[in-house]
Amino acid sequence: GVLLLVLERVAARRAAEEGKASGFSAGMALVLGALFCTVAGYFAIQPMMDAARAGQGPLTFGQLHAVSAAFYAVKLLLVAALAWRAARPPAGAG
């Protein structure tokens, strides 16, 4: 994820220097969103699920599993959109 972010940042910087776009691209937003979903799931949802298995916490294990699945679905859509954008031909080609 970090490598993709660096690659998108380089491409956005290059496009900004050429006057074609700003320094923040849609690809960077997609990568940041996917990274957020991963980090939130690992550092927020997973510890809460461990606590829910032990009978602690305000949410049940099933509720947290649904939240985790939603984060995964959002991440899947973000990565699919990033792959779709990467696979299309460059503007001006053809």
Side-chain angles (χ1 to χ4, degrees):
V2 173
L3 178 61
L4 283 175
L5 183 59
V6 169
L7 292 173
E8 283 293 331
R9 177 67 183 124
V10 168
R13 184 181 302 157
R14 188 174 302 132
E17 288 172 354
E18 294 173 0
K20 295 180 182 177
S22 71
F24 188 81
S25 69
M28 287 176 60
L30 293 171
V31 172
L32 285 172
L35 282 173
F36 172 78
C37 289
T38 301
V39 171
Y42 188 77
F43 290 107
I45 304 295
Q46 191 173 5
M48 291 173 68
M49 288 176 86
D50 292 337
R53 278 191 200 111
Q56 303 167 346
L59 299 175
T60 66
F61 179 80
Q63 291 170 328
L64 289 170
H65 192 274
V67 170
S68 175
F71 267 105
Y72 183 77
V74 169
K75 181 171 55 171
L76 179 67
L77 291 173
L78 292 169
V79 170
L82 186 63
W84 176 74
R85 288 176 49 87
R88 69 180 180 188

